[in-house]
Structure formats: structure tokens, C-alpha cells
Amino acid sequence: MKEKITIMLVEDNPAYRRVIQRALKDDPYIEEMVYFGTAEIALRGLEATPKIVPDLILLDLSLPGMTGLDAIPKFLHSLPDAKIIILTQSDSEVDVIKAISSGAVGYLLKSSTRQQIKDAIWTVMDGGASLDSAVSIHVLEALKERSPQIELDRNLSEREMATLRLLAEGLSRKEIADRLGIGVTTVVTHLNRIYEKLDVPNAPAAISKAYQSGLL
């Protein structure tokens, strides 16, 4: 994980922007925070100011104009290395699944505490994934009930399966490495192979697909 990170918050509610600002302003590992009220303005800001290169985007879904869901692929096109955490009031299964499928690596509800938001940021920046427990439980259960049969490449090695199980428990790359007694680079290799075999873009999508298919 980088020693210092830049965070971009896309949130149209000024009061909630101030809440996030107060929650994160004293974190010594956050180098800079930038704020935008709409996705369109944020995207124009990235084009107009090349120096703005956020490492992580906190993105609301209910935005005026372009929705957060529609904005995810556009942000990832402009910032392919950025991590996106959804920060919203919506616990809709449809929103969660679409956000993860589009490339978000975290999904938090606005009822999350300041510490939960901080923990999610560092988990994601360390290569993990962060789903609000109130969202993940009912979403994964709904996925299992709705689609019990999905064809996918199940040819995961024993070590890849162990990595996938620990990933589903919410462990970061370093924690997985410590648990399995391997290096972080090896964990990254396992994860990349898992994503390739499951045909998914990121950790939350891998976990969802694994549950959906009965692999987990």
C-alpha cells in the first residue's frame, strides 16, 4: 500500500461531505482529499486538472445527473488504477451487484461509522475488498437462491481455493499471505489466476460469483 494516498469524494450532500472530511482529515496517511458534487463535474475536473490523480474514489450512487452506477466505468476508464468504494444509502441487491460487476471494490452504507469507513479504505488500498455486512449477507443469500447453477471454470488449485476462502472472509492480501505462510506476491498471483478463471474483474465479483455458483 502507498504511504500517502489521495481520495476523491463524489457526494452531492454538503453536510455529508463535511462528515467525511472531519472523519478523515486527521489521518496521517491521507495526503489530499478532493470533493465534487456530481459525477460529471468530477470527470471534467480530472480532464482539466491532470495533477488530480486519486488513488481511491468514495462514490455516492444517488447523484444529480449521471448516477454513481453509470459513472463507475467512466471513472475506471480515466483512472484504471483507482479503487472505488460506493458510499450510499441504498442497500438494494440490484445496486450492489451492478456496482461490483462494474468494478467497485467496496460497498458501504452511509450508516457506517467513521472507523468502518477508515477500515474499508485501508482494506481496499491493501488489495482487499470491503462490503457492508448488512449488504453482503442478504445479497449473497439472494444470489444463491436465485442462480444456483452457473457455468464457470472450477479448475482452481487447492491453494487458489484456500486464497479464495480467506478473501471471502474479508482478509487483506497481507493477512492471506500470513495465514497461508506465503509471500504477498504469491497471493497476488493466486488472485489474478482466480479472477481469470472466474472471468471477473475484482475481489467482490469473485466472491459473489463463487457463492452464486456454489463454489463457496
Side-chain angles (χ1 to χ4, degrees):
M1 186 180 72
K2 294 175 61 177
E3 291 187 0
K4 296 279 189 177
I5 68 169
T6 296
I7 294 177
M8 181 170 76
L9 173 65
V10 186
E11 166 62 55
D12 64 313
N13 186 317
Y16 194 70
R17 283 203 301 268
R18 290 192 293 271
V19 169
I20 299 301
Q21 183 179 24
R22 288 195 299 268
L24 302 178
K25 68 177 182 179
D26 295 328
D27 194 309
Y29 298 103
I30 295 177
E31 184 173 34
E32 183 180 7
M33 288 192 68
V34 291
Y35 308 87
F36 296 99
T38 70
E40 291 92 339
I41 294 176
L43 289 165
R44 288 200 297 269
L46 292 174
E47 293 178 359
T49 313
K51 291 183 179 180
I52 299 178
V53 184
D55 302 292
L56 183 140
I57 301 172
L58 294 174
L59 178 63
D60 188 16
L61 293 185
S62 299
L63 296 168
M66 184 188 300
T67 68
L69 288 174
D70 291 335
I72 292 173
K74 296 182 182 299
F75 280 125
L76 291 178
H77 178 75
S78 299
L79 302 164
D81 294 327
K83 311 289 187 181
I84 296 180
I85 295 178
I86 301 301
L87 190 53
T88 181
Q89 292 181 336
S90 172
D91 61 356
S92 163
E93 176 189 339
V94 174
D95 287 343
V96 178
I97 294 173
K98 186 171 181 180
I100 292 171
S101 300
S102 297
V105 293
Y107 196 106
L108 296 179
L109 300 181
K110 288 186 176 179
S111 57
S112 301
T113 66
R114 296 183 181 187
Q115 190 58 51
Q116 286 171 330
I117 293 173
K118 286 184 177 182
D119 290 345
I121 289 172
W122 300 125
T123 296
V124 165
M125 290 306 300
D126 197 33
S130 183
L131 294 177
D132 191 293
S133 59
V135 168
S136 62
I137 293 175
H138 90 84
V139 167
L140 293 176
E141 287 300 322
L143 283 171
K144 287 190 289 185
E145 292 175 4
R146 187 181 62 190
S147 305
Q149 299 297 327
I150 289 184
E151 294 298 326
L152 51 77
D153 184 350
R154 293 172 178 267
N155 190 28
L156 297 182
S157 69
E158 182 177 343
R159 188 49 62 92
E160 288 166 357
M161 277 301 305
T163 301
L164 181 59
R165 292 189 188 98
L166 295 175
L167 185 69
E169 292 179 16
L171 273 64
S172 68
R173 293 177 183 179
K174 185 178 185 307
E175 290 170 330
I176 293 173
D178 292 342
R179 184 77 68 87
L180 297 179
I182 57 179
V184 174
T185 302
T186 304
V187 172
V188 172
T189 299
H190 289 330
L191 290 175
N192 288 336
R193 288 175 179 167
I194 290 168
Y195 301 159
E196 181 180 356
K197 289 180 179 180
L198 299 187
D199 191 25
V200 294
N202 53 42
I207 295 168
S208 291
K209 194 164 188 178
Y211 273 108
Q212 189 177 3
S213 66
L215 194 58
L216 287 176

